Amino acid sequence: VIKCKAAVMWEANKPFSIEEVEVAPPKEHEVRIKIMATGICRSDDHVITGALVMPFPIILGHEAAGVVESVGQGVTSFKPGDKVIPLFIPQCGECKSCLGTKGNLCNKNDLALGGGLMPDGTTRFTCKGKAIHHFLGTSTFTEYTVVHESAVAKIDSAAPLEKVCLIGCGFSTGYGAALQTAKVEPGSTCAVFGLGGVGLSVIIGCKVAGASRIIAVDINSDKFAKAKELGATDCVNPKDFQKPIHEVLMEMTGQGVDYSFEVIGRTDTMTAALACCQYNYGVSVIVGVPPAAQKITFDPMLLFTGRSWKGSVFGGWKSKDSVPKLVADYMNKKFVLDPLITHKLPFTKINEGFDLLRTGK
């Protein structure tokens, strides 16, 4: 058993509590990882506010990179010292999604179940004598974590962990939504709603795919400079207009965009993103985690004329196969990650990190 520091969320809508936790050794087919760097993602915050329902107490965090500390019985593909990225969408290699080419959402994922436990139904974390839940099979807001071997990818030993940790969620989610899910084509027009880390990664993906026009949409104009730096050709703040944003985008483009992306997780922007894409062959992709207990009402004529509405989890990438390749692409300078990193904080200042997230900084 390892004793270490972790940021425990005891109950909803409270700050993280830095506690000493006990991390059990890995069981059969499990890997214990020393976390070296972790990103903060809005999905973690959704659990705190109740928009994403998970059991408490819990150790959040799902976007990280680290080093294998030890492996459980039967683990052959990892050894202590390997550099790795935990995968919040596992790849078991046995279910229909893993075996087929159509999807990437492995049946062993905890996103749908929300059970907050390891695949065997137990936890590896204890604090003050209490069992602490895992989050999406990863739990990276801790110095050590235990993950199932299907939920970890070995990466290039030369990769800088404080940068490639973003490939564990935010970057891959946005980049893949453009390249894998929407399959953006050269010369096309795209609209991206929401310019956080994931939205900016969608812009990077659209640019790599060869889009000729990329319209960035956000109610925070402070985000526009970075969006332009990464490839946005136009920036639009809905607050600057009297009319609905989808009408503004229709006027800007004539017939609407070829591809739109909702990267916020709001139902009103999801319908706006659908309405702003070309009425016959436009594709709109939902990338932001939708809030619990909210429903969408929309005019079915929007779909009847031929538009496609899609969702994308982890950018459509098969996690175990794709993460090492994405790290290699980063090492080969196919894309940049530095502009996505706005602040670096010591682990004990995690609450300040979440304040920065909530204030759009």
Side-chain angles (χ1 to χ4, degrees), residues 104-143:
N104 71 319
L105 189 52
C106 171
N107 287 358
K108 301 264 164 57
N109 79 83
D110 193 43
L111 198 59
L113 300 168
L117 298 167
M118 292 295 284
D120 71 352
T122 62
T123 172
R124 303 289 165 272
F125 298 118
T126 321
C127 181
K128 297 177 178 170
K130 287 196 176 119
I132 309 293
H133 291 91
H134 293 248
F135 179 51
L136 301 182
T138 49
S139 290
T140 63
F141 294 165
T142 167
E143 291 175 316

Side-chain angles (χ1 to χ4, degrees), residues 15 17 28 30 48 61 68 102 111 150 157 171 223 256 273 343 355:
S17 182
E28 195 175 5
E30 293 176 358
I48 300 166
V68 174
K102 289 181 175 177
L111 198 59
S150 66
S157 61
F171 172 76
K223 306 263 187 181
H343 300 75
D355 289 340

